[in-house]
Amino acid sequence: MRTQVAIIGAGPAGLLLAHLLWRGGVEAVVLETRSQEYVASRIRAGILEHSTVELLDSVGLGDRLRAEGFEHRGIYLQWPGERHHLDFVDLTGRSVWVYGQTEVQKDLVAAGHEAIYEITDTTLHDVDTERPYVTFRDADGVARRLNADVVVGCDGSFGPSRHAIPDGVRRTWEKTYPYSWLGILADVAPSTDELIYAWHPRGFALHSLRSPTVSRLYLQVPNGTDLADWPDDRVWDELAVRLGHGQDGWTLTPGPVTDKSVLPMRSFVQTPMRHGRLFLAGDAAHIVPPTGAKGLNLAVADVGLLAPALIALLREKDATLADRYSADALRRVWRCTHFSWWMTTMLHASGDDFDAQLQLSQLRWVTSSEAGATGLAENYAGLPIGF
Ligand code: RFL
Ligand code: PHB
């Protein structure tokens, strides 16, 4: 097989890149190791920032999002005894949208972007030449070869693409955190109109949502937490304490839990994001802890930069944007890496009393000073694609 762009990974980065390239007259083939059903039903991100929505709108993928998603003006930040609303629209003129990653994925599939699913043994070859190719076994176990002008690794944090950049060239930066999130999806109306990020001495809690009848909530838990220790009643009781059930008349309504999982947290960046004819986008190049709601948005921003670069490279033989891709993308990646680290370390209990006082001081500043609030709002609602 031959194509112009071989894309590894049919997550949001890979399928959106295929869509943007198709609109620009460049052909791509997407290779995916999981089944289409598995990819479509993975429960992950829920918040789209302003520039993500603008990009999806501009390429004909915004209709269902506008009709079925929920526009939020801001978030609540709270700690015991106090809840404050930050209005991003007043502060920056930008809102965010609640629209699940599963829905973005469905819209991409509905736009006609097929992938070759259930492949194994994905291997990248000759990426530092003009004739890179990918070998794999298809769902029937048949060995296949895909020749391309360019290979793009959109294969997430466990894919092979990032390792195809030689050890002497690639550099990685990593930070781990001493806590994880226990997340639940529940068939119950959200007890809030906008997301609540709660600092609590027992640990962070987040009340998010997916629709008027589906809530998504998270609890900070120690690394290595066993779900067997967290029956649904215990999860709801702990959420009630940390989110301030009963405080100023606010109540948390529990309901049937339909999904429960533990998510580890990590900050990770690999540079460069391009080596020869291999480009990396999304989680393949960087992971952020979820507290800033940035993972999906960063993946979209990467491909928003990469698509015009590849279109210019392959259609006009103009390498200017492709040569700048890694540096341009990494400016935003490091901004979001810092923001996600900052939100995470401001809101999670570390067990250190001194840290707790600093966190509360920071939270008071962010919620009472227009300068502090604007900084958070600008980062959360998102910087322009070209930042
Ligand atoms: P994805 O979505 O991981 O897609 C990568 C795809 O590559 C495939 N793949 C391969 N394909 C072919 N050959 C191979 N050898 C392959 N190896 C892997 C994978 O099967 C997969 O389909 O990366 P992408 O497209 O870069 O998109 C990034 C986002 O998905 C990610 O940043 C966010 O979902 C992160 N994230 C969250 N972000 C948020 O902003 N808010 C959240 O609440 C949130 N929750 C999450 C998350 C990520 C999670 N993961 C990765 C464990 C919850 C989870 C569980
Ligand atoms: C979610 O709805 O899953 C979600 C929202 C905001 C975050 C993280 C996750 O910061």
Side-chain angles (χ1 to χ4, degrees), residues 9 12-13 32-34 42 44-45 101 122 154-155 160 282-283 293 295-296:
E32 167 61 50
T33 191
R34 302 288 196 155
R42 277 189 300 219
R44 288 188 173 177
Q101 184 167 330
T122 316
C154 296
D155 45 358
D283 280 17
L296 170 61

Side-chain angles (χ1 to χ4, degrees), residues 288-331:
V288 288
T291 325
K294 285 289 163 239
L296 170 61
N297 294 293
L298 258 186
V300 169
D302 285 352
V303 299
L305 278 179
L306 184 55
L310 294 183
I311 292 165
L313 180 70
L314 298 173
R315 293 197 52 171
E316 283 128 44
K317 307 281 172 250
D318 177 354
T320 318
L321 291 177
D323 289 344
R324 288 176 38 183
Y325 168 69
S326 180
D328 285 353
L330 282 166
R331 256 201 318 281

Side-chain angles (χ1 to χ4, degrees), residues 43-47 98 181 195 197 204 206-210 216-218 263 289-294 343 380:
I43 299 161
R44 288 188 173 177
I47 298 287
V98 173
W181 279 13
L195 273 62
Y197 286 79
F204 171 70
L206 170 62
H207 191 332
S208 182
L209 52 132
R210 286 291 179 275
R216 177 88 169 134
L217 300 106
Y218 298 95
L263 322 176
T291 325
K294 285 289 163 239
M343 285 286 280
Y380 194 106

